Amino acid sequence: MASTSDIRNGLVIEYNNDLFQITEFQHVKPGKGNAFVRTKMKSLTTGKVLDNTFNSGASITPVRVERQKFQYLYKDEVGYNFMNTENFEQILLTEELVTGADLMKEGQEVEILMNTENDAPLTCELPAFVELKVTYAEPGIRGDTANSPKKSVEVETGAKINVPIFIEQDDVLKIDTRTYDYVERVKS
């Protein structure tokens, strides 16, 4: 058992018979009344985000988790196949556990959050930024530069990304996997 003083970003707790990861927290000490901790928690089974307030000193049940490096191998009709880079064991994850799957290309390294009690995978996290090649881009219209226009391009994994109009086919782009935003063009 732990208390609310142990809450930090990334902590996984058991709450209402579900596993939640703390994404944001704030200790609040009002002028009157007791202190409390305001949190945003993401369910690791459904992906829903929940706002919750814990009274200061309340008991919480942390779950021991471990981040392991895996390499993405391929996708089949059942799900996504990964290989542990240390012991070469393979695991299969369903589509619900993989966020940003359309930005993942074969051979890419990812981190999988594993529950240490039963060795069950909880989530798959891509690196913050990936570099992908543009496979299809409409030509930009010359002179159309007012209000920084954007166009949609398709990258090698099949994802559609909004980019500035100067991006062309075969450019390599740096993309933020959390927001699907174009960051920059990679110099080759």
Side-chain angles (χ1 to χ4, degrees):
M1 277 296 196
S3 72
T4 54
S5 62
D6 298 315
I7 290 180
R8 64 188 186 288
N9 286 341
L11 177 71
V12 177
I13 62 171
E14 187 176 329
Y15 180 74
N16 286 350
N17 299 324
D18 197 1
L19 294 179
F20 287 89
Q21 185 172 26
I22 305 290
T23 56
E24 289 180 32
F25 73 98
Q26 178 183 20
H27 288 279
V28 180
K29 296 178 187 172
K32 269 187 171 175
N34 296 331
F36 56 91
V37 179
R38 190 176 290 136
T39 62
K40 271 193 189 214
M41 307 185 302
K42 181 180 180 184
S43 170
L44 295 178
T45 53
T46 63
K48 291 183 180 178
V49 177
L50 177 71
D51 289 322
N52 192 32
T53 302
F54 294 100
N55 289 329
S56 186
S59 297
I60 57 172
T61 308
V63 177
R64 289 202 39 204
V65 294
E66 190 176 274
R67 291 183 181 279
Q68 296 180 359
K69 293 205 179 294
F70 280 80
Q71 184 179 23
Y72 172 56
L73 298 176
Y74 60 91
K75 180 184 190 290
D76 58 17
E77 62 276 348
V78 182
Y80 295 90
N81 293 277
F82 296 90
M83 178 184 66
N84 189 319
T85 56
E86 293 176 8
N87 58 16
F88 307 109
E89 289 181 10
Q90 291 188 17
I91 65 168
L92 176 76
L93 296 183
T94 59
E95 205 158 327
E96 298 84 44
L97 295 178
V98 183
T99 53
D102 57 345
L103 292 178
M104 208 167 39
K105 64 181 177 180
E106 292 179 3
Q108 184 170 16
E109 202 167 90
V110 298
E111 280 189 342
I112 295 181
L113 207 61
M114 302 288 278
N115 186 340
T116 57
E117 294 171 13
N118 57 8
D119 282 334
L122 299 173
T123 61
C124 173
E125 298 174 358
L126 273 71
F129 301 99
V130 292
E131 294 180 1
L132 297 172
K133 186 176 184 180
V134 176
T135 55
Y136 177 75
E138 298 261 340
I141 302 167
R142 224 171 190 53
D144 184 12
T145 57
N147 302 328
S148 61
K150 303 250 184 212
K151 67 179 181 180
S152 181
V153 298
E154 188 172 322
V155 293
E156 61 189 294
T157 59
K160 302 236 186 273
I161 308 292
N162 285 329
V163 298
I165 60 170
F166 60 82
I167 299 297
E168 298 173 358
Q169 192 165 326
D170 297 327
D171 283 350
V172 178
L173 308 179
K174 185 175 184 180
I175 299 166
D176 188 331
T177 58
R178 297 158 295 196
T179 60
Y180 280 64
D181 286 339
Y182 159 84
V183 178
E184 66 183 358
R185 195 166 37 176
V186 178
K187 312 260 189 297
S188 48

